[in-house]
Amino acid sequence: MPAVIRHDWTRDEVLVLFDLSFPELMARAGATHRERFDPSQVQVSTLLSVKTGGCPEDCAYCPQAARYDTGVQAQKLMGLEEVVDKARAAKAAGASRFCMGAAWRSPKDRDIPKVAAMIREVKALGLETCATLGMLKGSQAQALRDAGLDYYNHNLDTAPEFYGDVIKTRDYQDRLDTLEHVRDVGMKTCCGGIVGMGESRSQRAGLLQALANLPAHPDSVPINRLVQVEGTPLQGTALLDSFEFVRTIAVARLLMPAAMVRLSAGRAEMNDELQALCFLAGANSIFYGEKLLTTGNPDVEADQALFKRLGLVPMPLVHKHDTNTVHADIVVPANSCAA
Ligand code: SAM
Ligand code: DTB
Ligand code: SF4
């Protein structure tokens, strides 16, 4: 019987998992991964920053916050044609999902039709669509869903008790509210966080606990390892131990057995061996393409070589109806609940 989907994890229970010996934790996470997924398949998404820099928020990790001198030039919202060209190229390179990011605190109502047009055109190419635009109102979530948006990415970023050390211009509850609007209109949620920001192990456990105890598990859980950018307050933070990063992936897999766990930012600083450990720990999704939003990602050739070395294949998109996508051999239930 597959692991039960739970929403009542205590911090201590999560810490017990973190405290397991590395081989035991890996074995458990690998077994849980196999209950619902083919471990040789990895879902690939390509990111595009459709509105870069100039952001009014103060997220201490972020190169796009206007208040930090990071060298990122603020740009206007990208034109439709350019976005569609990039999406077409991503598809040709093998991506199955295209994620559009904007450096906004929240979109203005007048921005929504422009983003909706991008979503419609990207979807028409046969790609799954994802967007990350900051906080949303219910009406904006509905408009994006009506345009065909499959996923909305909005991260909790860290544990509730560490959050105020990282971001002061909006609070945890704002994030929970946006996620609720996204779920309410029937979109899939992509929600995770960042590790390596100087948080404690208990706070890493607290991030995963908060994610797993959401009313519905996120469909996709990006685990980012902080990309340190010159000029941001978090530049110079002590590097997170690689095995601790792998443990975080493994515990995410154990807590959210039916979710896609995404090995997200930070791969450019990882060698193939570390990434392989992340796949063994239950990661089954990556960002694919030379760039994340403003920072580097491994180039396509390197990822193709990595997949070949490890015998991994991109997860196929075999059947689509409305916004729910059924993958070959597996069904990832939207907002999966055991009950
Ligand atoms: N502005 C929107 C927002 O914050 O919701 C959307 C874009 S924002 C860049 C999306 C996510 O990227 C953040 O929530 C954070 O988790 C991640 N991120 C940003 N900068 C990062 C960095 N330097 N290292 C790792 N992850 C980062
Ligand atoms: C997520 O969790 N990670 C991605 C995506 N969601 C939008 C973004 C990572 C950004 C890394 C820093 C940059 O490239 O600007
Ligand atoms: Fe702005 Fe998003 Fe960066 Fe925060 S993470 S500064 S909201 S772009």
Side-chain angles (χ1 to χ4, degrees):
M1 256 242 302
V4 176
I5 307 282
R6 289 179 49 192
H7 298 273
D8 58 354
W9 289 92
T10 66
R11 182 74 60 99
D12 284 348
E13 284 178 313
V14 181
L15 279 168
V16 165
L17 298 175
F18 266 94
D19 287 342
L20 290 172
S21 74
F22 192 76
E24 178 61 27
L25 175 58
M26 294 294 280
R28 288 197 199 180
T32 298
H33 187 187
R34 278 159 184 72
E35 285 171 1
R36 288 183 167 83
F37 297 102
D38 175 344
S40 54
Q41 292 187 346
V42 175
Q43 194 277 329
V44 291
S45 301
T46 293
L47 270 174
L48 176 68
S49 181
V50 298
K51 159 70 185 84
T52 302
C55 184
E57 299 296 277
D58 72 346
C59 310
Y61 48 76
C62 188
Q64 302 199 70
R67 66 190 70 203
Y68 312 133
D69 190 8
T70 63
V72 170
Q73 296 284 333
Q75 281 161 21
K76 288 207 292 245
L77 186 63
M78 203 178 259
L80 182 59
E81 279 314 305
E82 192 174 353
V83 174
V84 176
D85 285 349
K86 301 267 188 197
R88 207 175 279 118
K91 187 178 182 198
S96 61
R97 189 179 309 158
F98 193 68
C99 180
M100 293 159 273
W104 286 324
R105 170 180 165 83
S106 53
K108 296 195 171 61
D109 280 341
R110 64 177 151 83
D111 296 321
I112 295 290
K114 296 178 197 158
V115 178
M118 295 174 186
I119 293 165
R120 269 192 293 272
E121 298 257 336
V122 171
K123 206 173 168 66
L125 297 175
L127 285 159
E128 287 186 308
T129 53
C130 176
T132 181
L133 315 171
M135 294 184 287
L136 292 185
K137 300 185 284 192
S139 57
Q140 295 176 326
Q142 186 63 55
L144 295 171
R145 153 108 194 171
D146 292 345
L149 189 62
D150 296 307
Y151 289 81
Y152 195 76
N153 166 245
H154 200 63
N155 292 336
L156 293 183
D157 274 350
T158 191
E161 73 273 18
F162 189 60
Y163 183 89
D165 289 18
V166 181
I167 300 154
K168 295 192 170 48
T169 48
R170 60 174 135 162
D171 59 30
Y172 222 66
Q173 190 57 47
D174 292 325
R175 291 182 183 256
L176 297 172
D177 292 348
T178 291
L179 290 166
E180 189 176 338
H181 296 321
V182 170
R183 286 192 305 268
D184 282 352
V185 300
M187 280 193 292
K188 294 180 185 177
T189 55
C190 171
C191 180
I194 311 176
V195 293
M197 298 195 294
E199 73 286 338
S200 63
R201 173 177 277 188
S202 173
Q203 289 163 341
R204 280 186 286 283
L207 164 66
L208 299 182
Q209 180 194 10
L211 292 168
N213 290 350
L214 286 167
H217 287 179
D219 298 278
S220 165
V221 181
I223 304 292
N224 298 279
R225 184 154 92 162
L226 176 69
V227 179
Q228 300 204 7
V229 178
E230 193 86 44
T232 59
L234 290 183
Q235 159 70 20
T237 306
L239 281 187
L240 181 69
D241 173 62
S242 293
F243 294 126
E244 186 68 10
F245 180 74
V246 179
R247 282 179 186 275
T248 308
I249 300 258
V251 177
R253 168 54 65 216
L254 289 170
L255 262 46
M256 294 166 277
M260 305 295 292
V261 175
R262 185 185 304 264
L263 169 56
S264 303
R267 282 200 308 118
E269 290 75 40
M270 296 177 197
N271 61 22
D272 282 4
E273 290 79 359
L274 175 53
Q275 293 184 64
L277 281 178
C278 293
F279 295 127
L280 294 181
N284 60 349
S285 167
I286 57 164
F287 286 121
Y288 174 70
E290 272 81 37
K291 223 170 173 197
L292 291 164
L293 292 172
T294 64
T295 66
N297 199 40
D299 51 22
V300 162
E301 292 74 28
D303 278 342
Q304 286 174 350
L306 175 65
F307 272 40
K308 198 157 177 223
R309 279 182 94 189
L310 299 179
L312 298 175
V313 290
M315 195 174 279
L317 265 179
V318 290
H319 174 65
K320 296 211 296 174
H321 63 98
D322 193 15
T323 59
N324 294 314
T325 301
V326 179
H327 296 278
D329 302 323
I330 51 142
V331 179
V332 184
N335 301 337
S336 29
C337 278

